[in-house]
């Protein structure tokens, strides 16, 4: 669990930072790196102060919706305090890495156009108002847990949550200056490949680590993660090859991330066959969402956070209900004669999406009143790096 925790942190810094940093234009790469790095630091302190307590403790009469304040600042937690079979200090830190990367994922949707002060305020409010309650609903004994929603490592808590927030944020801020007319191609795909590769490696901590032990469940989660990711990467690549006549580096790494996202809720419940089909579905569906459908609808999700994390999370959550194997995760899915699990999964998706969308919109309004969310047009045109941080990449 110590190793799993460390490599999940590696997913955010440097993994996600490099992945996103390579995908933006050169004039905004440092701003993205700064946002991701700062978010990790801010979320660490918030999780320590109050986030973990509200997520993981009993909320009394409100426990279906939120936890309590018993473990603020880790009150009562010492070297010998256990969470299940592992030290609670380790469980706290493991979950902290999830709380750090989830808000950081949203950054990709509004790259190049949000004020740094707004990013800081928005992310702090979003963690406490959106992430923490959904964590509690699914993993802390809240109503989605009681209803039997399956989410092994964060399909709803992390990816659908971040994806919906990303979609709301990019629509709220509006399109980048020059979107649709200027070349906004990634400035350094080498950085993005390194970042995607670190994400893939770190995801074993994310998924296998969510078994909370070195056991057969962790082994099956690792196996499912590898199969789904490879299948999704190839599915995206081949579809792109057919549609656009060339397989791209950007395509195969985007497909890999889509596969990692989709297998996240399912990895502790499905076998290799289920993982394979979840990966293929994610690669194909996320490709069309991030290209054809995004273009048709006209929103500017800069780095396809909704198209990959939001949609990939939804695909994975639904297919968890289809391919779940009772002998692996204790719950049968549609293929084993339990079609009701698919409906349960959809209920979890809808509840998460509705709360996240409404709350994110309100938080953006509050942030806009406080500091304004969008940089001025001259700042955006010249670049966030030099204007907000006084630095550039040569």
């Amino acid at each position: 669990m110590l190793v799993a925790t460390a490599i999940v942190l590696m997913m955010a810094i440097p993994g996600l930072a490099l992945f996103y940093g390579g995908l933006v234009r050169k004039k905004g790469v440092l701003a993205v790196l700064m946002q991701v790095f700062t978010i990790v630091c801010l979320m660490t302190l918030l999780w320590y102060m109050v986030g973990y307590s509200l997520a993981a403790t009993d909320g009394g009469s409100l426990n279906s919706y939120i936890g309590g304040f018993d473990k603020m600042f880790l009150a009562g937690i010492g070297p010998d305090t256990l969470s299940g079979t592992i030290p609670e200090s380790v469980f706290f830190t493991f979950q902290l890495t999830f709380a750090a990367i989830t808000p950081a994922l949203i950054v990709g949707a509004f790259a190049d156009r949000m004020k740094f002060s707004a990013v800081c305020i928005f992310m702090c409010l979003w963690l406490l108002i959106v992430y923490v309650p959904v964590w509690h609903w699914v993993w802390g004994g809240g109503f989605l847990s009681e209803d039997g929603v399956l989410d092994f490592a964060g399909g709803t808590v992390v990816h659908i949550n971040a994806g919906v927030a990303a979609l709301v944020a990019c629509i709220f801020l509006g399109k980048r200056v020059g979107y649709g007319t200027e070349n906004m191609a990634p400035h350094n795909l080498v950085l993005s490949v390194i970042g995607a590769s670190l994400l893939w490696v770190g995801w074993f901590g994310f998924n296998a680590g969510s078994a909370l032990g070195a056991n057969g469940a962790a082994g099956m989660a690792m196996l499912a993660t590898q199969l789904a990711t490879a299948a999704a990467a190839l599915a995206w690549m081949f579809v792109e090859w057919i549609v656009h006549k060339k397989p791209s580096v950007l395509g195969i790494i985007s497909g890999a991330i889509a596969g990692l996202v989709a297998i996240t809720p399912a990895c502790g419940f499905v076998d290799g066959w289920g993982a394979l089909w979840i990966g293929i579905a994610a690669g194909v569906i996320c490709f069309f969402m991030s290209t054809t459908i995004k273009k048709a609808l006209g929103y500017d999700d800069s780095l396809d956070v909704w198209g990959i994390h939001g949609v990939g999370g939804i695909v994975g959550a639904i297919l968890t209900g289809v391919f779940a194997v009772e002998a692996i995760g204790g719950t049968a899915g549609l293929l084993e004669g339990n079609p009701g699990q698919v409906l349960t999964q959809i209920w979890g998706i809808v509840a998460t999406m509705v709360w996240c969308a409404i709350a994110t919109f309100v938080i953006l309004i509050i942030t806009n009143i406080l500091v304004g969310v969008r940089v001025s047009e001259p700042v955006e045109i010249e670049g966030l790096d030099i204007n907000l941080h006084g630095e550039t990449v040569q």
Side-chain angles (χ1 to χ4, degrees):
M1 288 309 302
L2 292 171
V3 173
T5 300
I7 64 173
V8 177
L9 177 61
M10 183 190 76
M11 290 172 67
I13 49 174
L16 184 70
L18 289 175
F19 181 65
Y20 279 177
L23 292 177
V24 296
R25 289 170 290 176
K26 192 175 181 180
K27 64 183 179 180
V29 56
L30 294 176
V32 169
L33 298 179
M34 182 68 172
Q35 289 169 11
V36 173
F37 206 97
T38 303
I39 288 165
V40 170
C41 298
L42 286 171
M43 299 309 109
T44 295
L45 298 187
L46 275 178
W47 192 248
Y48 165 70
M49 289 187 284
V50 68
Y52 175 71
S53 184
L54 286 172
T57 65
D58 191 310
S61 60
L62 294 176
N63 193 55
S64 289
Y65 307 103
I66 194 69
F69 296 102
D70 296 348
K71 294 184 178 178
M72 286 179 63
F73 298 95
L74 299 189
I77 297 175
D80 300 322
T81 311
L82 294 180
S83 176
T85 60
I86 64 172
E88 189 163 9
S89 58
V90 178
F91 180 72
F92 161 83
T93 312
F94 180 63
Q95 290 300 334
L96 184 160
T97 60
F98 282 60
I101 196 171
T102 305
L105 291 172
I106 304 168
V107 163
F110 52 68
D112 292 337
R113 57 201 193 275
M114 193 168 188
K115 291 181 180 178
F116 183 66
S117 56
V119 171
C120 294
I121 293 168
F122 170 79
M123 294 302 176
C124 289
L125 292 173
W126 192 86
L127 182 88
L128 297 177
I129 296 169
V130 181
Y131 180 82
V132 164
V134 176
W135 194 105
H136 185 78
W137 299 351
V138 177
W139 292 333
F143 72 93
L144 292 182
S145 172
E146 292 173 345
D147 292 343
V149 172
L150 301 179
D151 184 1
F152 193 75
T156 49
V157 179
V158 175
H159 298 292
I160 295 174
N161 231 356
V164 170
L167 182 62
V168 172
C170 75
I171 293 172
F172 186 89
L173 267 79
K175 300 173 185 177
R176 287 168 287 179
V177 174
Y179 179 71
T181 57
E182 292 181 18
N183 180 15
M184 297 187 176
H187 91 283
N188 191 333
L189 279 173
V190 173
L191 290 182
S192 295
V193 171
I194 295 169
S197 304
L198 288 167
L199 283 164
W200 190 336
V201 174
W203 224 287
F204 289 123
F206 207 75
N207 286 0
S210 291
L212 302 179
N215 51 42
M220 288 301 295
M222 173 174 271
L223 180 157
T225 300
Q226 181 69 15
L227 283 174
T229 307
L234 292 173
W236 186 305
M237 182 191 80
F238 283 119
V239 173
E240 182 183 48
W241 204 343
I242 293 166
V243 174
H244 298 310
K245 310 307 179 189
K246 290 181 180 178
S248 71
V249 171
L250 176 59
I252 197 166
I253 62 175
S254 298
I257 301 301
L260 288 162
V261 168
I263 199 60
T264 294
C267 60
F269 303 107
V270 302
D271 58 14
W273 185 246
L276 183 68
W277 283 107
I278 289 171
I280 292 170
V284 173
I285 294 170
C286 292
F287 167 78
F288 284 109
M289 280 300 304
S290 300
T291 55
T292 309
I293 297 174
K294 181 174 83 165
K295 187 176 181 180
L297 296 178
Y299 59 89
D300 182 13
D301 177 0
S302 305
L303 309 182
D304 295 312
V305 185
W306 164 248
I308 291 175
H309 291 276
V311 174
I314 291 168
V315 169
I318 292 172
L319 294 183
T320 300
V322 175
F323 291 106
V325 176
E326 188 171 5
I328 293 176
T331 303
L334 172 66
L335 296 184
E336 288 192 339
N338 180 23
Q341 189 60 45
V342 176
L343 298 177
T344 301
Q345 295 301 103
I346 292 171
W347 160 234
I349 293 165
V350 170
T352 301
M353 291 182 69
V354 169
W355 174 248
C356 181
I358 294 170
T360 299
F361 182 66
V362 172
I363 293 166
L364 283 165
I365 291 172
I366 293 168
T367 306
N368 197 37
I369 291 169
L370 292 174
V371 296
V373 292
R374 185 157 180 167
V375 298
S376 67
E377 188 169 321
V379 167
E380 185 178 337
I381 291 171
E382 189 177 7
L384 271 56
D385 288 4
I386 188 65
N387 281 288
L388 299 189
H389 305 294
E391 301 164 303
T392 58
V393 172
Q394 299 301 322

